[in-house]
Amino acid sequence: MHAPDVVLGIETSCDETAAALLVAGSRGRPPELASLVILSQDVHKVFGGVVPELASRAHLTALPPVVDRALAEAGLAWSAVDAVAVTQGPGLLGALLVGVAYAKGLAYAGGRALIGVHHMEGHLFAPALEDPDLAPPFVALLVSGGHTLLLDVPEWGRYRLLGQTRDDAAGEAFDKVATLLGLGYPGGPEIERLAREGDPGRFTFPRPLLDTGLDFSFSGLKTAVLRAVRASDDPARDRPHFARAFQDAVLDVLVTKLERAVRAAGHRTAVLGGGVACSRALSALAAERLRGAARVAVASPRLNADNAAMIARAGWFHLERGELSDWTLDARADLPLPGLAAAPHAPTSHTPTA
Ligand code: KG4
Ligand code: ZN
């Protein structure tokens, strides 16, 4: 197809049901966001984590009204939509299936184009929604509840894996440490809030793999926090200090590797994306350490957390290149990132399975 005029984005990979409308910019400018509706499934809070079966059922009831609302907020009728972009994976299979089946139904019945999008490629495109001039080459650090990816991006659609986590994802570490500190789900925002009251000098946690390559490891750090909590004579008093020391350790590792990758590549731009990039502490530390070397591009929190605008934006990119999905499109919990090649000079890296 030619460049689209209006794309409907749908995201249901985890516990946010989201729809967004993206419309063509004037005079060949990049597309603009016309509406974004995100319904967060609160039901999981009482379980301290996402319950997959409940997530699928909630998407099923929420998705049609969320799409209708996104159209209404954009002031657009369904007839104006050229194409539907939907998260194909990775994520919870049952949750993904709801979005993919719905998107296929809409597109097939209406004779519209369909494009399946990789969730992390969506996160990568999020900053471009607010910063239309953002352009490769750059290094991207994508940090979410399921992934920690360091990518070299020579051009949109072509990615070289520089590093990834060997165990827990960065967001997963925030969530697990929040649970052991007795905080709610999701843990990242709670830890960031509590860490502001913490004394940075009270505890120091290890920085796993800090001096080695570009891969990450967070599971040992989680164990170190657990040991410190058990050893404390007053864990309630120490909670803000644990939160601060843990956050400082994670951010130090993330930003040290980002800086190493940016300096090695010689790029003048670094992109932060994914739910953990909602952390103001992360973007502030990255900007401080990269000052003079590269500018740090990061979307606002609403576009870094799971949303459908980023899916529509990544879908738009593929549609413009004539890349469409066919009616065999299926949800895949372990979808590999399209356009990904392992960097030949990064011997510790391997292709991610999720
Ligand atoms: O991208 P995302 O919304 O969902 C996934 O694709 O997984 O990322 C969610 C993750 C959660 O682990 C959450 O704790 C983390 O992002 N997160 C944060 C912050 N806000 C969200 N982590 C650290 N600091 C934050 N302020
Ligand atoms: Zn995400």
Side-chain angles (χ1 to χ4, degrees):
M1 83 182 276
H2 300 298
D5 285 321
V6 180
V7 170
L8 166 67
I10 291 177
E11 153 66 37
T12 65
S13 68
C14 192
D15 58 344
E16 258 82 35
T17 313
L21 269 307
L22 210 54
V23 299
S26 52
R27 281 176 267 116
R29 294 288 294 155
E32 288 163 14
L33 189 57
S35 67
L36 169 60
V37 177
I38 306 173
L39 194 68
S40 294
Q41 302 176 354
D42 281 345
V43 61
H44 307 287
K45 286 195 195 300
V46 292
F47 299 100
V50 179
V51 183
E53 182 62 20
L54 295 181
S56 319
R57 285 193 217 170
H59 285 309
L60 214 47
T61 48
L63 188 52
V66 163
V67 168
D68 287 348
R69 175 82 178 267
L71 285 165
E73 286 190 9
L76 291 167
W78 159 245
S79 56
V81 174
D82 300 315
V84 182
V86 63
T87 307
Q88 184 193 357
L92 302 170
L93 185 60
L96 290 164
L97 273 169
V98 175
V100 169
Y102 191 74
K104 273 165 85 171
L106 271 181
Y108 186 76
R112 304 302 203 276
L114 175 72
I115 178 76
V117 172
H118 190 285
H119 182 81
M120 298 311 289
E121 191 175 36
H123 278 304
L124 181 70
F125 271 90
L129 286 162
E130 291 171 319
D131 185 352
D133 297 321
L134 176 67
F138 55 73
V139 168
L141 174 67
L142 302 181
V143 269
S144 69
H147 295 81
T148 307
L149 297 173
L150 196 55
L151 300 175
D152 180 41
V153 181
E155 58 185 82
W156 292 116
R158 218 152 60 78
Y159 312 118
R160 272 208 311 277
L161 182 65
L162 302 174
Q164 64 181 328
T165 184
R166 296 181 181 177
D167 39 58
D168 293 348
E172 189 180 356
F174 271 97
D175 295 336
K176 286 179 175 170
V177 166
T179 302
L180 71 89
L181 293 180
L183 302 169
Y185 175 86
E190 303 256 339
I191 288 189
E192 187 175 22
R193 213 169 299 128
L194 195 61
R196 289 196 196 110
E197 302 158 25
D199 173 355
R202 277 293 286 282
F203 298 98
T204 304
F205 292 127
R207 269 83 168 139
L209 302 179
L210 188 71
D211 300 318
T212 326
L214 296 172
D215 273 355
F216 304 89
S217 165
F218 295 112
S219 72
L221 176 55
K222 177 186 65 194
T223 312
V225 179
L226 180 63
R227 276 206 207 96
V229 171
R230 285 195 180 140
S232 166
D233 57 2
D234 189 349
R237 178 203 62 210
D238 286 339
R239 258 184 7 156
H241 312 311
F242 291 137
R244 177 62 191 260
F246 165 74
Q247 178 175 276
D248 283 353
V250 175
L251 302 191
D252 187 14
V253 174
L254 290 175
V255 174
T256 298
K257 308 251 168 176
L258 174 65
E259 185 185 354
R260 189 173 294 155
V262 167
R263 291 189 191 277
H267 297 331
R268 303 287 298 163
T269 306
V271 166
L272 296 176
V276 181
C278 294
S279 165
R280 287 178 203 281
L282 172 60
S283 47
L285 186 67
E288 183 191 315
R289 295 254 195 102
L290 285 166
R291 189 167 299 131
R295 78 167 177 115
V296 176
V298 57
S300 51
R302 186 167 163 80
L303 296 176
N304 271 325
D306 285 352
N307 71 83
M310 67 185 199
I311 301 303
R313 184 64 189 82
W316 190 289
F317 165 75
H318 288 290
L319 291 163
E320 267 185 326
R321 298 211 304 185
E323 295 165 3
L324 305 184
S325 298
D326 62 27
W327 305 118
T328 64
L329 181 76
D330 213 353
R332 271 191 67 181
D334 62 348
L335 187 72
L337 188 65
L340 186 70
H345 59 275
T348 53
S349 303
H350 51 272
T351 307
T353 52

